[in-house]
Amino acid sequence: MMINKLKKITAALLILANAGFIFAATAKYQAENYTLNVNYNDIIVPGDAIFVRMLIQTPKHKKNKTEFEKKAELRLYKDKKIIEKSNFYQLEKRKSTFTTDFTDMLCGIPLSSWLKDDSYTLKVIFSIAENSTYEFTLPVYFKDKTFDEEIIPLNDANTAIKTDTSPERMQQIEKLNDILYSVLSSDVYYYKPFVSPTTSTRYTAHFADRRTYAYSNGKTSTSLHFGNDYGVPEGSLVTACADGKVIMAENRISTGWSIVIEHLPGLYSLYYHLSEMDVKEGDFVKAGDLIAKSGSTGLATGPHLHWEVRLNAEAVRPEFFLENFAFEENKE
């Protein structure tokens, strides 16, 4: 199928109101009778994400009452190779005018914390009518980031957990991965800025720390730390960072009492090492709702809250979502 390149009408860089630290690049594209207004964050920061919000305006056809389903895909290229891609999903339906239909769509892709300065291209490919496919490229810029390195000494109990290869632990890992790789386009619960799950601002570990675990038997292993650790006393209140559906609430060998909440298609928040849970699988929660109390269950060297955010299964810096990542207008 032939892919048509859209003509860019305007492009600009601005800071949206209440957008936190996300700089929003904007662009407007025109193809025949179709107009697209685009907002996105154009800086590639290792460990963050890129979100693109797209408002599509199409003319109403009085004779044709069947509306064609609009589809779009976001792709990130390194040179000519696709390194990340994901499908757009539709947000809350906007009211149409007498002559125009509006479709509001959003998509996010994670950026690996291992990314290095290179040639990157961000592209949107979409269809808004039968047998018509369009594409356009959005400029992006790379900004390097360094991450901390740390050595974590483990006692006998934590060494046993970290090196556990039992079928039970493997099944728990597989179950969690199945959840994190699930992307359901209908599950749109929340796309406003998230809120912190704790009032504490004392970090004991950061997202994407490069860790070396020193086992009690003298051996070592290396891994990434996928979230933030907050040094809070046992029993501190833990709240939901955003509206969503509780997908997991159970005890796991590695992470102790653990909760996973779905917020958007492919976007999940995780809360580990809890001492107590106040929600169960299938519950719907609102941002700020009490969901648990902190603890030191599972592999932990002391009481703390581990907060993690995953996008399409990839861990993303949690603070990214405290900003206006979906470019939502302030409607108050």
Side-chain angles (χ1 to χ4, degrees), residues 41-180:
N41 54 301
D42 63 345
I43 301 177
I44 293 179
V45 180
D48 280 12
I50 285 183
F51 271 79
V52 177
R53 185 146 179 189
M54 184 165 62
L55 181 63
I56 305 174
Q57 302 176 47
T58 53
K60 276 188 175 180
H61 297 286
K62 296 180 181 179
K63 295 181 180 180
N64 184 11
K65 296 183 180 180
T66 303
E67 184 179 352
F68 182 79
E69 182 183 3
K70 300 172 180 65
K71 298 178 181 179
E73 182 180 79
L74 182 63
R75 298 177 181 176
L76 180 65
Y77 292 81
K78 180 180 178 182
D79 295 323
K80 295 183 179 180
K81 181 181 178 181
I82 299 175
I83 58 172
E84 289 290 346
K85 66 178 181 179
S86 190
N87 292 326
F88 281 77
Y89 41 87
Q90 189 166 334
L91 301 179
E92 186 177 348
K93 195 171 181 64
R94 294 202 179 193
K95 289 184 179 180
S96 300
T97 66
F98 183 74
T99 58
T100 308
D101 283 318
F102 297 92
T103 304
D104 196 4
M105 305 183 82
L106 182 68
C107 185
I109 52 173
L111 301 171
S112 169
S113 65
W114 296 107
L115 287 183
K116 301 298 182 184
D117 194 0
D118 213 315
S119 176
Y120 297 98
T121 304
L122 189 66
K123 186 176 291 187
V124 176
I125 298 175
F126 68 101
S127 55
I128 50 183
E130 260 186 307
N131 300 317
S132 65
T133 301
Y134 299 87
E135 70 171 43
F136 59 89
T137 299
L138 295 169
V140 289
Y141 310 91
F142 183 85
K143 182 179 179 181
D144 203 4
K145 184 174 183 177
T146 58
F147 298 93
D148 293 337
E149 297 182 11
E150 59 178 346
I151 299 175
I152 309 291
L154 300 182
N155 60 19
D156 289 345
N158 281 330
T159 294
I161 293 175
K162 185 65 177 173
T163 58
D164 184 348
T165 58
S166 66
E168 181 183 4
R169 183 167 181 253
M170 296 303 105
Q171 288 169 4
Q172 290 177 354
I173 292 172
E174 183 178 359
K175 177 181 178 179
L176 179 60
N177 285 337
D178 286 344
I179 290 172
L180 299 179

Side-chain angles (χ1 to χ4, degrees), residues 270-289:
L270 302 85
Y271 314 77
Y272 287 164
H273 310 298
L274 308 170
S275 62
E276 174 184 317
M277 298 192 302
D278 292 275
V279 293
K280 64 183 182 303
E281 186 177 319
D283 285 350
F284 286 89
V285 296
K286 295 289 187 180
D289 282 355

Side-chain angles (χ1 to χ4, degrees), residues 86-87 89 174-189 247 260-269 310-314:
S86 190
N87 292 326
Y89 41 87
E174 183 178 359
K175 177 181 178 179
L176 179 60
N177 285 337
D178 286 344
I179 290 172
L180 299 179
Y181 278 99
S182 297
V183 181
L184 301 174
S185 61
S186 59
D187 291 355
V188 177
Y189 301 119
I247 304 298
V260 179
I261 303 176
E262 180 188 27
H263 306 289
L264 285 171
L267 182 61
Y268 300 86
S269 62
R310 297 285 189 116
L311 175 61
N312 298 347
E314 180 93 31

